[in-house]
Amino acid sequence: MGPSVQGSGRSVVTIGVYDGVHRGHQRVVERAVASARERGLRSVAVTFEPHPDEVVRPGARPQRLTNPRRRAELLAGLGVDEVDVLEFTLELSRTSADDFAQSILAERLKAAAVVVGEDFAFGRGASGDVETLRMMGDKYDFAVEVVPKLADVSSTAIRERLVAGDVEAAAAMLGRPHRVEGVVVRGYQRGRQLGFPTANVETPQQTAIPADGVYAGWLECVPVANLPALYAGERWPAAISVGTNPTFEGVPRTVEAYALDRDDLELYGVHVAVEFIAHLRGNTRFDSIDALIAGIRGDVAATRRLTS
């Protein structure tokens, strides 16, 4: 057991966008938590909202791997004592590296140490790097620890794999299945008519959704404020369809999940998470309703095997 937390108010800080909280992020955060415990200080993970790209590159629409609530939940799960979300504004983007180190790291967070990944950049135009941070640490009295990058793991690479429908590779980089969240809304109810009632999930704009196709995964009810808490925390294996349904014309792109063997769920208005563990097939235009039902039965059987 390390020393007890001191009353100085000083902290060990890790800072980054942390979209996805993937395996590379996890290494950095876990090192910050360990360093804080060694020093007897609190650990603070600093993130930004909105995504900096939305501010510094107007018109950019980065696909988000995690929403702010989920990101904070994942960071807390790594053991940090506090998650501090900085509002990323045009003014903040124009702050010099020196001013950022002084006003945010030294004065606001009272950093005794700052733990970052080797590709960390900060200050106006991302002009500051880890060497700049070390100089700022000498100036404002905080130590700096740099954690080596995990090869081939990045938020960008994960997004690329999702665009390709390769949810298995995305999960390997994330350290867990990729998930999307949203509220269940009324759809065309064609699944119900076919005997496979689906939860039609309305996801926020800029959610990183895998490529169109059929997947095996999980459907989970996630309690959030001001929404029905039915089935809170319950989780079911699910066959998931992403995209427009090619058997029916004029259907907008959707994420629909059929909870295996459950035709009794009333999920309208409930906040849910859909997790993707395996790609089963691309979207297929079936020649008949009977062929479509046979295809869905095959998807259900495959999902059952993969989630058992």
Side-chain angles (χ1 to χ4, degrees), residues 32-57:
V33 169
S35 178
R37 289 175 179 162
E38 290 162 8
R39 298 165 185 268
L41 301 175
R42 66 192 176 103
S43 54
V44 181
V46 178
T47 69
F48 302 98
E49 192 62 33
H51 194 292
D53 283 353
E54 296 179 39
V55 176
V56 299
R57 286 193 277 276

Side-chain angles (χ1 to χ4, degrees), residues 4 6 11 14 76 79 94 152 166 171 189 191 224-225 238 250 255 271 278 282:
S4 61
Q6 304 299 309
S11 64
T14 182
R94 292 169 176 167
D152 302 322
D166 190 352
Q189 298 192 319
V224 297
V255 176
H271 189 94

Side-chain angles (χ1 to χ4, degrees), residues 9-284:
R10 300 201 76 185
S11 64
V12 174
V13 176
T14 182
I15 185 167
V17 177
Y18 288 141
D19 185 26
V21 194
H22 57 58
R23 287 173 53 231
H25 295 151
Q26 291 164 31
R27 290 178 67 185
V28 179
V29 175
E30 287 167 351
R31 179 58 210 145
V33 169
S35 178
R37 289 175 179 162
E38 290 162 8
R39 298 165 185 268
L41 301 175
R42 66 192 176 103
S43 54
V44 181
V46 178
T47 69
F48 302 98
E49 192 62 33
H51 194 292
D53 283 353
E54 296 179 39
V55 176
V56 299
R57 286 193 277 276
R61 299 180 63 80
Q63 298 298 293
R64 306 294 293 272
L65 298 172
T66 46
N67 62 37
R69 183 199 55 77
R70 175 64 171 162
R71 181 180 58 191
E73 179 180 85
L74 290 167
L75 291 169
L78 295 171
V80 297
D81 296 310
E82 180 183 336
V83 178
D84 192 347
V85 182
L86 292 184
E87 183 183 2
F88 197 89
T89 62
L90 203 54
E91 181 182 6
L92 183 61
S93 76
R94 292 169 176 167
T95 302
S96 70
D98 191 297
D99 286 346
F100 184 89
Q102 180 183 19
S103 63
I104 302 296
L105 298 177
E107 295 177 359
R108 173 172 171 160
L109 298 167
K110 298 181 173 60
V114 179
V115 181
V116 295
E118 64 179 280
D119 55 355
F120 177 72
F122 70 113
R124 184 185 300 118
S127 57
D129 58 13
V130 293
E131 292 309 317
T132 311
L133 187 64
R134 287 193 172 102
M135 289 190 291
M136 295 298 101
D138 291 339
K139 184 174 181 179
Y140 295 113
D141 189 30
F142 56 79
V144 173
E145 183 172 348
V146 178
V147 178
K149 183 177 174 62
L150 194 60
D152 302 322
V153 175
S154 70
S155 298
T156 299
I158 293 166
R159 292 186 191 99
E160 289 171 351
R161 297 326 306 151
L162 293 174
V163 167
D166 190 352
V167 295
E168 295 93 336
M173 287 186 274
L174 285 164
R176 63 183 183 280
H178 176 62
R179 68 191 267 174
V180 302
E181 296 188 21
V183 176
V184 178
V185 297
R186 291 191 182 275
Y188 292 93
Q189 298 192 319
R190 291 194 175 109
R192 184 174 296 276
Q193 295 163 12
L194 297 172
F196 303 95
T198 59
N200 188 355
V201 184
E202 186 173 71
T203 57
Q205 287 188 339
Q206 296 166 249
T207 297
I209 298 172
D212 289 3
V214 179
Y215 298 85
W218 297 87
L219 175 65
E220 179 179 347
C221 292
V222 180
V224 297
N226 303 319
L227 285 175
L230 292 172
Y231 316 105
E234 290 196 49
R235 177 178 167 90
W236 309 282
I240 305 154
S241 174
V242 176
T244 57
N245 189 326
T247 303
F248 299 100
E249 299 293 343
V251 180
R253 193 167 192 258
T254 60
V255 176
E256 296 183 72
Y258 165 61
L260 268 55
D261 307 319
R262 296 300 299 264
D263 59 5
D264 58 332
L265 300 175
E266 294 295 339
L267 294 173
Y268 296 124
V270 174
H271 189 94
V272 299
V274 177
E275 289 189 353
F276 299 83
I277 63 169
H279 180 263
L280 299 180
R281 61 176 175 84
N283 282 345
T284 304

